Amino acid sequence: MNILLNGESREYPEATTVARVITDIGLSGKRIAVELNKEILPFDRYEQQTLQDNDRLEIVHAIGGGQDDTFTVAGTRFHSRLLVGTGKYKDLEETRLAIEASGAEIVTVAIRRTNIGQNPGEPNLLDVISPDKYTILPNTAGCFTADDAVRTCRLARELLGGHKLVKLEVLADQKTLFPDVAETYVAAELLVKDGFDVMVYTNDDPIAAKRLEDIGCVAVMPLAAPIGSGLGIRNPYNILTIVENANVPILVDAGVGTASDAAIAMELGCDGVLMNTAIAAAQHPVMMAEAMRKAIEAGRLAFLAGRMPRKRFASASSPIDGLFL
């Protein structure tokens, strides 16, 4: 049978237990957290819990002062769940410092608006975000038709020497910058057929998100709120539904305003968050980049820990049984 282990396909015999997988990857006796099909699995069930074909298993190993907690996009593992953009900074030096402070490994670049070598003589963004250090994610910001988006991705592939990973966004209008979902479907199908690994921006619509996954996109990126609005997650239950139904990484994209917004996205079970304006438009962008990094880490840990149940009435923090009265 096939299971998805930390984002990678693995073959195991029928009736394999979670404990067997833990031993197989060398984590027996280690401090770990296990998530089976988006639900935290208590440690006392590892021996009894058998796996089924197409189960999704996440095993996180706590080490030192942090966790070896990764997610996988198009076959590549990433430790940082914060993805950042490169626009709106005052200069390239501030861009460099903020991205370093964020700890991001994936940096998205608007091909239609940024010079990454297509305009000789102008400052080149790749001088401060080297492809040797970061995974460059070309995006189609500013595209309003499927044709424009596809051409932009093909241009990026040429500029970056055969680069296949792209972020697709096809916008509906200048005022809202909401995605044109119909055109996004068309562009996604064309790009997948052309061999691209497509991470796709879309509405917070569970039906649209699932269709884009079915088309073959390697990650789906629902908006939290309009691009650059800083309004935070407007429809958390939609995002939760998208996460629960997904077999590819789900990353919130657009609308995050501050660190608490990023933490909420991670507590919902998202695999990551992409942001630009929330950092670049802060009064102190480098400081905000660090805050976002810590918020992503805290939100992810809180998700793995499993929050307490919500209750309508108070519940004493200290036990009352056995007290001397």
Side-chain angles (χ1 to χ4, degrees), residues 31-61:
R31 294 175 53 208
I32 59 174
V34 175
E35 178 188 300
L36 177 60
N37 298 327
K38 306 285 188 178
E39 298 289 338
I40 299 300
L41 186 70
F43 71 91
D44 57 1
R45 288 175 51 194
Y46 295 171
E47 292 285 350
Q48 293 78 33
Q49 183 68 52
T50 57
L51 297 169
Q52 307 295 321
D53 192 36
N54 295 320
D55 273 350
R56 183 174 180 175
L57 192 65
E58 295 282 336
I59 301 178
V60 180
H61 175 207

Side-chain angles (χ1 to χ4, degrees), residues 31-168:
R31 294 175 53 208
I32 59 174
V34 175
E35 178 188 300
L36 177 60
N37 298 327
K38 306 285 188 178
E39 298 289 338
I40 299 300
L41 186 70
F43 71 91
D44 57 1
R45 288 175 51 194
Y46 295 171
E47 292 285 350
Q48 293 78 33
Q49 183 68 52
T50 57
L51 297 169
Q52 307 295 321
D53 192 36
N54 295 320
D55 273 350
R56 183 174 180 175
L57 192 65
E58 295 282 336
I59 301 178
V60 180
H61 175 207
I63 54 173
Q67 291 189 322
D68 185 21
D69 179 26
T70 62
F71 75 107
T72 302
V73 178
T76 301
R77 276 191 174 188
F78 298 97
H79 290 81
S80 173
R81 295 174 181 270
L82 175 58
L83 293 70
V84 296
T86 55
K88 301 184 179 180
Y89 291 100
K90 68 180 182 182
D91 54 35
L92 288 181
E93 179 61 10
E94 185 177 74
T95 305
R96 181 185 69 80
L97 292 172
I99 291 173
E100 287 182 356
S102 76
E105 295 171 288
I106 301 176
V107 180
T108 187
V109 176
I111 295 298
R112 294 169 66 95
R113 298 171 177 167
T114 308
N115 180 38
I116 58 169
Q118 66 269 44
N119 299 314
E122 294 183 10
N124 187 337
L125 182 63
L126 298 185
D127 290 337
V128 297
I129 53 163
S130 169
D132 294 333
K133 182 177 181 181
Y134 300 101
T135 294
I136 306 301
L137 180 63
N139 70 60
T140 61
C143 292
F144 292 86
T145 68
D147 285 346
D148 279 350
V150 170
R151 286 201 306 271
T152 300
C153 288
R154 288 172 176 164
L155 171 63
R157 182 166 59 185
E158 292 301 314
L159 284 170
L160 295 170
H163 191 83
K164 295 196 303 177
L165 186 66
V166 294
K167 181 199 166 191
L168 171 65

Side-chain angles (χ1 to χ4, degrees), residues 1 3 11-21 49-52:
M1 67 178 179
I3 68 167
E11 292 291 331
Y12 280 98
E14 296 291 334
T16 293
T17 64
V18 171
R20 158 78 185 277
V21 176
Q49 183 68 52
T50 57
L51 297 169
Q52 307 295 321

Side-chain angles (χ1 to χ4, degrees), residues 188 192 196-198 211-219 248:
V192 169
F196 284 92
D197 295 321
V198 181
R211 180 169 175 182
L212 288 163
E213 177 185 327
D214 292 342
I215 285 171
C217 296
V218 298
V248 296

Side-chain angles (χ1 to χ4, degrees), residues 156-319:
R157 182 166 59 185
E158 292 301 314
L159 284 170
L160 295 170
H163 191 83
K164 295 196 303 177
L165 186 66
V166 294
K167 181 199 166 191
L168 171 65
E169 53 184 88
V170 186
L171 305 176
D173 61 53
Q174 289 280 5
K175 182 177 181 180
T176 67
L177 299 183
F178 281 135
D180 183 328
V181 178
E183 286 288 290
T184 300
Y185 292 153
V186 173
E189 288 177 347
L190 290 170
L191 290 168
V192 169
K193 288 178 182 177
D194 199 13
F196 284 92
D197 295 321
V198 181
M199 302 174 68
V200 60
Y201 166 68
T202 187
N203 283 328
D204 54 354
D205 174 355
I207 306 304
K210 195 63 181 176
R211 180 169 175 182
L212 288 163
E213 177 185 327
D214 292 342
I215 285 171
C217 296
V218 298
V220 177
M221 308 175 75
L223 56 79
I227 291 173
S229 67
L231 291 173
I233 298 176
R234 296 294 85 200
N235 294 305
Y237 291 105
N238 281 21
I239 299 294
L240 182 60
T241 301
I242 291 170
V243 169
E244 289 174 341
N245 291 332
N247 294 307
V248 296
I250 302 298
L251 302 101
V252 159
D253 178 16
V256 168
T258 192
S260 56
D261 299 330
I264 289 170
M266 299 308 298
E267 288 170 6
L268 289 170
C270 292
D271 295 280
V273 180
L274 188 151
M275 67 183 74
N276 184 184
T277 307
I279 296 174
Q283 293 183 34
H284 302 285
V286 178
M287 188 182 300
M288 183 61 81
E290 183 178 359
M292 291 299 188
R293 174 177 60 78
K294 292 177 178 178
I296 293 288
E297 293 170 356
R300 176 65 178 171
L301 271 177
F303 170 73
L304 292 174
R307 64 156 292 142
M308 63 167 283
R310 290 179 171 86
K311 299 177 182 179
R312 184 178 176 189
F313 297 109
S315 175
S317 297
S318 303

